[in-house]
Amino acid sequence: METSASMDVEEQPPSPTPNNLKRFGIKNSIQTNFGDDYVFQIVPKDDWSSMAVSLSTNAVKLYSPFAGQYLGECKGHSAAINQILFSGASDPNVLSSCSSDGTIRAWDTRTFQQVSSINAGSSQEVFSFSYGGSGGNLIAAGCKSQILFWDWRNKKQIACLEESHVDDVTQVHFVPDEQGKLISASVDGLICTFDTTGNINDDDHLESVINVGTSIAKIGIFGGGSPKLWCLTHIETFGIWDWKDGRNEVIFSDARTLASESWNLDQIDYFVDCHYSREADKLWLIGGTNAGTLGYFPVNYRGVAAIGAAEAILEGGHTDVVRSVLPMSRNHSGFAPSSSNQGIFGWTGGEDGRLCCWLSDDNPQINQSWISSSLIMKPDKNRKKNRHSPY
C-alpha cells in the first residue's frame, strides 16, 4: 500500500542567508511499503512521465515524478537489485534491471511485465550494466571479477573479460560521447578503459588502467566531451581523473571532513553521488548524515582543489541514510526549479523506505521546512551548538 506522510517541523525565525544557498523543503513524502524495505535507486524515464524506484524487496515500483502517484510494480528478481536503467529514446517504455540473482531483466513499464531476460550464470552476480558499443547493440555487465558482453538484439554472449579485474566489478559505463569505449571499476581498486570494437578481449582491447588504491563504489563521466571521471570509494574518499590519459587531477582523502566543516549540521557520514551541470560546467558532491540530511558541496578541481560550502541543503525529510538522489532541475546553476518541472527540485530515497519530493523553500506548496544561516556558517568555537529536531 502506498501512503503519503506529513511531518511537523519546528519553525525557526527568519535570518539572512548567503546568496548562493538554495533552500529546499518537503512537498510530500511517500512510504514505499509498511515493511523495513530500503530505497536503493531512483531513475527517470526520458520524457519524465514516470520514475522507477528499486527496493530491497527485490522489486521495482514506478511513480509519477510530478504527482507522486503510484503507477505499478515490476517483480521477478530473487535477490538484490543492484542497478536499474531506462533504455532511452530507442525503446522508451523498457526498463532494465540487474541483480545478484545473476540476471539482467527488461520490463514493459506500460504493463509492468517482464519482456526479456539475460542470465549471466547461476554462480554469478550482476552488479552493474550499461548499454552502448559503437553500433549501439551491446550490453556490458560487471560481475564477479568479470565483464560480460551480449548483443542485446539476440541476447547472445559475445565476450568475457576475466583478466583485467580480480574482484567484483562494481561499475561499467559506456562513455556517452564515445560509445565504443567502456570504463569499468572494481573492488580491486582499478579503473579500466576498453575499446569494445571488433573481437573484444583482454589482450588487445584494454587501453588503460588507473589504480585508485582502494575499493571503488561509484564512478561517473562528466565534462565537455566527457574527458573527466569522478570516483567515490567505499571508504568515502573522492577523486577526479582525466580518463583518456589516466592523469589524476585531485584526490580528497579527507572529503568527509572538508564537507563537514562547511556547515553547522552533524558531520557528513557518507557520500551519495555527484551531480554535474553541463551548462554551468560545475560538479557537486552530495553528502549525507546518518539522520538523513543532504548537502550539495561544490568541487573545485581546477587550480587549488577544494570542497566548498554547501550550496543546497535538503533537511527534514529522511530519518535514515539516503541512498539515491534524482535532481529534476534543468537550469544553468543546476538548482533553481523551473516551470517545466512544476517547481520540483528533485526526489530522494533512503533506508527509511521513504521517497521525498523537494521544492524550493519559497514555493507555496511546501508542507513544512526550516533553515537558517547557522546551517552553513561555522559557529564560534566558544558558543554551544543549538540543535533542532524536525520531529
Side-chain angles (χ1 to χ4, degrees):
M1 180 176 179
E2 308 303 311
T3 61
S4 295
S6 62
M7 295 165 286
D8 295 326
V9 175
E10 181 179 346
E11 295 293 333
Q12 299 294 305
S15 60
T17 58
N19 291 332
N20 66 339
L21 174 67
K22 299 297 182 181
R23 304 179 299 178
F24 300 97
I26 296 293
K27 177 183 179 182
N28 61 30
S29 67
I30 300 169
Q31 200 69 31
T32 58
N33 210 331
F34 288 121
D36 296 326
D37 52 327
Y38 291 3
V39 173
F40 283 151
Q41 189 182 6
I42 313 169
V43 299
K45 192 175 177 181
D46 269 12
D47 63 1
W48 291 89
S49 60
S50 65
M51 62 182 184
V53 180
S54 60
L55 302 172
S56 58
T57 55
N58 308 333
V60 180
K61 293 186 177 183
L62 287 100
Y63 299 85
S64 162
F66 299 110
Q69 178 186 2
Y70 173 67
L71 303 176
E73 183 177 41
C74 301
K75 296 181 70 174
H77 285 295
S78 59
I81 296 173
N82 296 315
Q83 185 185 351
I84 53 176
L85 181 69
F86 276 96
S87 296
S90 61
D91 212 344
N93 295 309
V94 173
L95 172 76
S96 297
S97 57
C98 72
S99 167
S100 290
D101 64 12
T103 66
I104 302 173
R105 302 177 189 235
W107 314 85
D108 188 325
T109 57
R110 297 165 297 187
T111 64
F112 311 107
Q113 298 299 307
Q114 180 179 308
V115 292
S116 68
S117 178
I118 290 175
N119 197 324
S122 58
S123 62
Q124 276 287 15
E125 295 183 59
V126 183
F127 301 107
S128 59
F129 70 103
S130 182
Y131 288 99
S134 56
N137 63 308
L138 297 180
I139 301 176
C143 303
K144 292 181 178 179
S145 76
Q146 297 178 333
I147 303 171
L148 305 180
F149 293 86
W150 293 267
D151 187 323
W152 65 260
R153 296 168 300 186
N154 56 25
K155 309 301 187 292
K156 289 184 178 180
Q157 185 176 326
I158 60 173
C160 173
L161 301 178
E162 53 187 355
E163 297 176 5
S164 300
H165 291 291
V166 296
D167 213 327
D168 295 345
V169 180
T170 53
Q171 298 273 276
V172 289
H173 292 281
F174 282 102
V175 178
D177 296 326
E178 296 188 46
Q179 285 285 291
K181 306 291 185 184
L182 179 82
I183 299 178
S184 64
S186 169
V187 172
D188 63 15
L190 301 181
I191 298 174
C192 298
T193 302
F194 301 91
D195 180 359
T196 64
T197 57
N199 183 23
I200 306 168
N201 60 75
D202 288 281
D203 294 332
D204 301 325
H205 290 252
L206 175 61
E207 292 192 336
S208 66
V209 178
I210 296 170
N211 189 350
V212 177
T214 188
S215 177
I216 300 167
K218 187 177 286 190
I219 62 171
I221 302 162
F222 72 100
S226 304
K228 307 296 183 188
L229 181 146
W230 58 261
C231 171
L232 281 169
T233 73
H234 285 117
I235 58 172
E236 309 298 345
T237 59
F238 177 71
I240 294 174
W241 281 263
D242 185 311
W243 67 265
K244 288 189 174 181
D245 60 18
R247 175 173 44 88
N248 175 250
E249 303 210 345
V250 64
I251 291 181
F252 294 101
S253 58
D254 56 348
R256 281 185 296 185
T257 300
L258 293 173
S260 298
E261 291 173 349
S262 299
W263 61 3
N264 191 23
L265 285 171
D266 292 338
Q267 69 175 14
I268 293 297
D269 296 301
Y270 57 90
F271 293 109
V272 184
D273 209 338
C274 286
H275 174 59
Y276 174 70
S277 168
R278 183 182 286 264
E279 294 84 359
D281 190 22
K282 190 170 183 180
L283 182 72
W284 290 269
L285 184 56
I286 305 172
T289 71
N290 288 334
T293 300
L294 292 177
Y296 272 63
F297 301 90
V299 179
N300 181 27
Y301 56 94
R302 304 179 181 93
V304 179
I307 295 177
E311 293 184 355
I313 295 174
L314 284 66
E315 198 271 347
H318 289 284
T319 60
D320 211 329
V321 171
V322 178
R323 289 291 195 101
S324 186
V325 179
L326 173 62
M328 292 178 65
S329 56
R330 289 292 179 268
N331 77 317
H332 290 283
S333 73
F335 287 133
S338 65
S339 59
S340 64
N341 52 38
Q342 301 181 19
I344 297 174
F345 169 73
W347 288 82
T348 55
E351 294 186 6
D352 52 10
R354 210 178 259 176
L355 285 172
C356 291
C357 178
W358 301 87
L359 298 180
S360 176
D361 249 13
D362 56 7
N363 193 300
Q365 295 184 61
I366 282 193
N367 289 337
Q368 66 283 311
S369 67
W370 67 268
I371 196 166
S372 74
S373 59
S374 65
L375 292 180
I376 62 160
M377 297 174 66
K378 298 301 292 181
D380 187 289
K381 291 183 178 180
N382 297 319
R383 182 169 61 86
K384 185 177 179 181
K385 222 185 242 188
N386 290 324
R387 303 300 300 127
H388 305 278
S389 171
Y391 301 101

